[in-house]
């Protein structure tokens, strides 16, 4: 692993060093000259498989950019800290500046749209056509890690570097996009900026999103302007069209690791809904109010959180509460009001809809004192609370494009070699990603790599160096393969789909 | 009820108006002259019962002082708002200034100690002896009401006014004390300043208490200095001794109202402990982490809160969680850490100790996945969480002084008249009060009056005007009766205790 000292050298030095390096592919496949460029269409399978990303350079980019927004330490090594790079913070601005400067130096044209999405495009032969994009995000959770989103963007940059190193000229332009506020951690709507781009979220809604936390008046629009990333180009697929969108991401779950696989070919994203539940009871003194005279909003909320977990267990779904606020917040006052988030997920839209239906019927019943599944057993019946449930966000199940899925599978087979069938699997993403919105407007797929114990949204989130590089390698090949096939007759191409 | 417009006139005007009023007691009992003073010892039962507080003047003081720190509105009338007067805030300073100016104008000597406790003492005949004190507090909960604490202090002022109006000279000095930060809402230790006075809490601990809420650096000492109430006299019973401590308070529970009684003769305070529980799991992504791979600290905490309620129900105790904070606080991250308060109360020390013992054994078991009382029924077993439990505060059961209890009972019988037996009851206080600490250093008792539906620590906390006045009347008589009996042979006096 590159030491931090090395990784913190300026990228310009890094590029200068590259200039003196030999290309990473074999001499047999590639001739490096100032006058000759390799066209993607001319490449055969051997050439494709010998076109290699640089693992240590990729890791340097990851750790170098993690100097901005460094989070909680979890290990002794210099790079063993998490990340806390909230969208549109000063740290996010630094990472964005790096992205712009690095891709510009690689010959990319930069576009910043009205959501601060940054599109870096490397020209191809047919620049009148939409680029094939690689996309992910540089913002993190408040206590996030070094790979979620960051791997996707830096791997995109590494793809650009590898294409440049090897003088590859693509048929269509190739772009890398850094989407704004994918996490929805600072401004509470995840994937909001790809959502605006796709036309699914109104620009005004996104611009007016207020920073979470008491008393903040900062909005996405005010923070975009403050850090200088409120671009003039409309955030819209019609102004910035895409030929395709590929995204490399850590799995954020344990399935790849548990099954000793290296690459997940992502065929879609599970459905989910975000609800906000407000429980109202009555503030009363903890010492003087007997249990039966209480309308304890937190006790009711605790029952609901437990019940939502029981419902999820029964329906093979997920139910999670990540935010809970109560009022007034004093040790000797029974809380009169509790608000909490409820994140419901399942593979099918139907299951999520069923879960929501049960929540809508059961939560008010629990608040009223009804004994659902024994939740009130051994409790003292108190005064009723009221419940208000609002759906904040709905993301139906997403199915990625068969062409992109097929290209990713071909790339994975090529990269993983002889044992590829044992090292890859098709999977559904548990988390939402910008690819969900991208897939509404262009062919899309994703590539997953394993992360340690499936842990993510945690400082100790970790992906092995070789897995980061394998993922980037599959990403590179996917983009080149897609570029080669884009103007083919899709029907004939798909007559021979690549089965896993 | 006095209109707000009237109640907001300056207190100096108020006093000037009083000067032209006739005394509120009958001519038969009291002669008003500049040269003659009525000695408390000369008063007979008729005279005692005709010495009357002024209900409308008391209500004016309550509502006038509630201009500082006005809270949430709950009704249409001008006085139908709650209070949010946190200790040592600017609003608290205004209320303190009023208290000092008003009692000074009534001829009191003012002492401010190193905890900002304000002692206003009206001289008696024997000023070498400790005063008989009336005490309570002017600070409130963040979403508190107009009566908790405020009634006790303003009723104390009304007692002083009534003594002045009627030219009553007491044998011993009579004082009113405003204790600092009784609520423990802003600086998280309730009754902290009477605790320092009693020698139960070190001054340094109290001074270093930090304001609750993220990122605040304000301490009790810095805020006392800021608002000009860091007095030079040590906060200590040895420097400021008390002959007795009487406190009028709303019940803050439903018992008086439910039984149609008017006065509670408080014989003691229930035992309680405050615990802080920290549950540690692991931050993970809500969408990608299946239920069995989670160490969900909030789900575990929800089970513990529900379990604590079940334990309380089984042991005739109270268990309440008023504060809960979680990290990292994002809709799509399973919380890895939750901290919550647990307030346990019961009549006896033994029950509180038993409850704590069960919490200490059951909470870690629940976090580890053990199925206690069916709490894990229908749940998906996940990864274990860890639990850390700290006892922040312990208040053993308090028994008030029989002399003071007896005096309060006599006063209540006198004030309530013929039907007194049906209108009063002995009771144990559910809440802690400054009287708990006062009782460690001087004879103490309390007087309770009903509040609507037992609601307290709530903006809509309400006590009828006539009940406020009845309580103040009992307080006045208790003080005068105690003054008359202080130097009697206690034993002989107590040979005829007043039974309810």
């Amino acid at each position: 692993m590159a030491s931090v000292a090395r990784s913190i050298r300026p990228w310009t030095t890094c590029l200068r060093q590259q200039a003196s390096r030999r290309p990473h592919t074999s001499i047999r496949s590639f001739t490096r000259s100032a006058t000759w460029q390799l066209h993607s269409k001319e490449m055969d399978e051997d050439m494709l498989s010998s076109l290699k990303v640089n693992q240590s350079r990729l890791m340097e980019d990851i750790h170098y950019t993690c100097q901005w927004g460094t989070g909680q330490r979890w290990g002794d090594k210099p790079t063993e800290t998490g990340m806390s790079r909230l969208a549109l913070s000063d740290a996010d601005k630094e990472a964005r500046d790096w992205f712009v400067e690095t891709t510009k130096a690689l010959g990319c044209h930069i576009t910043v749209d009205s959501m601060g999405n940054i599109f870096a495009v490397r020209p191809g032969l047919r620049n009148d056509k939409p680029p094939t994009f690689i996309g992910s995000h540089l913002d993190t959770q408040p206590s996030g890690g070094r790979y979620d989103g960051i791997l996707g963007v830096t791997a995109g940059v590494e793809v650009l570097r590898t294409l440049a190193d090897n003088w590859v000229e693509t048929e269509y332009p190739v772009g890398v996009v850094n989407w704004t506020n994918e996490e929805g951690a600072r401004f509470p709507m995840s994937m909001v900026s790809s959502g605006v781009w796709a036309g699914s979220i109104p620009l005004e809604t996104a611009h007016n999103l207020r920073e979470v936390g008491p008393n903040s008046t900062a909005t996405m629009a005010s923070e975009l302007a403050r850090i200088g990333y409120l671009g003039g180009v409309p955030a819209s697929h019609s102004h910035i069209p895409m030929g395709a969108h590929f995204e490399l991401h850590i799995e954020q779950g344990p399935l790849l690791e548990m099954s000793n696989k290296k690459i997940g070919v992502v065929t879609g994203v599970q459905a989910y809904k975000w609800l906000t539940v407000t429980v109202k009871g009555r503030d009363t003194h903890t010492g003087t109010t007997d249990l039966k005279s209480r309308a304890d909003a937190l006790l009711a909320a605790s029952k609901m959180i437990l019940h939502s977990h029981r419902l999820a267990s029964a329906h093979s779904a997920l139910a999670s509460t990540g935010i809970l606020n109560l009022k007034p917040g004093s040790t000797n006052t029974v809380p009169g009001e509790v608000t909490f988030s409820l994140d419901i997920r399942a593979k099918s839209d139907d299951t999520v809809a069923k879960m929501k239906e049960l929540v809508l019927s059961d939560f008010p019943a629990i608040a009223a004192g009804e004994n659902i599944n024994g939740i009130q057993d051994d409790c003292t019946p108190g005064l009723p609370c009221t419940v208000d449930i609002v759906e904040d966000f709905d993301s139906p199940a997403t199915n990625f494009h068969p062409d992109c899925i097929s290209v990713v599978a071909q790339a994975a087979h090529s990269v993983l070699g002889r044992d590829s069938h044992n090292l890859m699997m098709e999977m559904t993403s548990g988390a939402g990603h910008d690819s969900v919105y991208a897939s509404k407007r262009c062919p899309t797929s994703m590539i997953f790599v394993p992360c340690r114990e499936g842990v993510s949204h945690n400082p100790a989130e970790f992906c092995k160096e070789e897995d980061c590089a394998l993922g980037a390698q599959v990403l590179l090949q996917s983009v080149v393969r897609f570029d080669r096939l884009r103007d083919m007759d899709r029907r004939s191409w798909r007559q021979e789909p690549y089965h896993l």
Side-chain angles (χ1 to χ4, degrees), chain A residues 24-44:
Chain A
H24 306 284
T25 48
S26 71
I27 296 295
R28 185 184 61 78
S29 304
F30 292 97
T31 306
R32 189 163 180 182
S33 95
T35 54
W36 191 80
Q37 302 215 336
L38 182 71
H39 292 180
S40 56
K41 289 224 170 170
E42 298 166 1
M43 295 168 79
D44 59 20

Side-chain angles (χ1 to χ4, degrees), chain A residues 38 40 43 51-52 57 122 134 156-170 174 476 479-480:
Chain A
L38 182 71
S40 56
M43 295 168 79
L51 184 69
K52 288 280 193 336
R57 185 171 59 184
R122 178 179 191 264
I134 293 165
V157 171
E158 178 55 29
V159 166
L160 296 178
R161 290 197 206 277
T162 306
L163 294 177
D165 276 359
N166 293 285
W167 301 79
V168 175
E169 190 167 51
T170 50
V174 170
L476 168 63
V479 167
V480 177

Side-chain angles (χ1 to χ4, degrees), chain A residues 185-371:
Chain A
R186 183 174 181 203
F187 302 99
M189 191 175 287
S190 65
M191 298 131 45
V192 62
S193 304
S194 52
V196 172
W197 174 87
S200 301
I201 299 170
L203 178 70
E204 202 186 331
T205 304
H207 271 184
N208 291 338
L209 276 176
R210 205 168 285 275
E211 182 182 33
V212 296
N215 311 324
S216 174
T217 56
T219 62
M220 283 204 82
S222 73
E223 286 295 279
L224 280 167
R226 186 183 69 81
I227 67 164
Y229 276 90
L230 184 57
V233 179
S236 164
H237 61 95
S238 58
H239 285 80
I240 308 164
M242 294 191 176
H245 186 269
F246 289 95
E247 185 169 5
L248 168 64
H249 210 281
I250 54 169
E251 181 199 343
Q252 306 184 282
L255 303 180
L256 286 172
E257 190 184 65
M258 277 164 54
S259 55
N260 281 316
K261 297 193 191 296
K262 290 296 187 185
I263 296 289
V265 178
V266 187
T267 58
V269 178
Q270 71 182 344
Y272 66 99
K273 281 182 195 291
W274 284 4
L275 310 179
T276 295
V277 182
T278 304
V279 186
K280 285 194 180 160
R282 196 166 66 170
D283 303 351
T284 45
H285 194 291
T286 57
T288 56
T289 319
D290 55 6
L291 298 180
K292 67 180 185 301
S293 303
R294 297 179 177 202
D296 186 334
L298 183 61
L299 178 62
S302 298
K303 292 172 183 171
M304 291 171 202
I305 290 168
L306 175 54
H307 184 65
S308 70
H309 170 82
R310 289 173 172 172
L311 287 177
S313 298
H315 290 82
S316 302
L318 300 174
S320 323
T321 294
I323 295 176
L324 186 148
N325 292 303
L326 56 78
K327 288 183 191 165
S330 177
T331 302
N332 58 354
T333 303
V334 174
E337 186 173 332
V338 174
T339 301
F340 64 91
S341 62
L342 187 65
D343 174 328
I344 302 172
R345 309 203 186 208
K347 282 208 176 152
S348 80
D349 293 335
D350 287 352
T351 307
V352 170
K354 177 71 185 165
M355 282 285 293
K356 182 183 171 188
E357 189 190 315
L358 287 165
V359 163
L360 289 183
S361 64
D362 290 357
F363 279 17
I366 288 170
E370 208 175 300
N371 194 3

